[in-house]
Amino acid sequence: MSTFEHKAGTAIECLSIPIKLTKEISYDETGRELLKCGFKIGGGIDQDFRQSPHGFTDNGIYVTDVTSEGPAWKCGLRMGDKILQCNGYDFTMVTHRKAVEYIKKHPILNMLIARKGVTQT
């Protein structure tokens, strides 16, 4: 997987792809409602990208896994996408934990993503 080389806090030249993800409702074994988004992330300004098994080249938030036929897959999110914004919140200067918390608390995610080979050469 190819990634970006982008220093946190600096402008990134790329077109961004808008993606609207509406989480799906499911229930756990106790009947408690869960909102599923169908993707996992890696990275963050508090992570050492050189230690990443995914080959990240910067401290951005990247999609590391997408469940096939899940909400993320259906709306067009793909493995390797870099999340630039989520609901207007800047994801280029965020810790991993803060990104996870932010994604978990919103039922609808309006994201701007950058995709290698599509939005940047």
Side-chain angles (χ1 to χ4, degrees), residues 69-81:
E69 302 307 313
W73 179 263
K74 290 175 187 170
C75 74
L77 201 63
R78 296 296 177 259
M79 204 165 129
D81 287 349

Side-chain angles (χ1 to χ4, degrees), residues 60-114:
I61 298 293
Y62 287 91
V63 176
T64 58
D65 188 43
V66 178
T67 306
S68 62
E69 302 307 313
W73 179 263
K74 290 175 187 170
C75 74
L77 201 63
R78 296 296 177 259
M79 204 165 129
D81 287 349
K82 180 175 182 173
I83 302 174
L84 304 173
Q85 272 186 15
C86 185
N87 296 345
Y89 186 77
D90 182 3
F91 262 45
T92 65
M93 292 289 292
V94 71
T95 63
H96 182 81
R97 192 170 111 203
K98 191 76 172 168
V100 169
E101 288 170 359
Y102 195 88
I103 289 167
K104 281 184 174 179
K105 81 176 174 184
H106 296 279
I108 296 174
L109 304 175
N110 285 297
M111 296 179 281
L112 286 178
I113 62 108

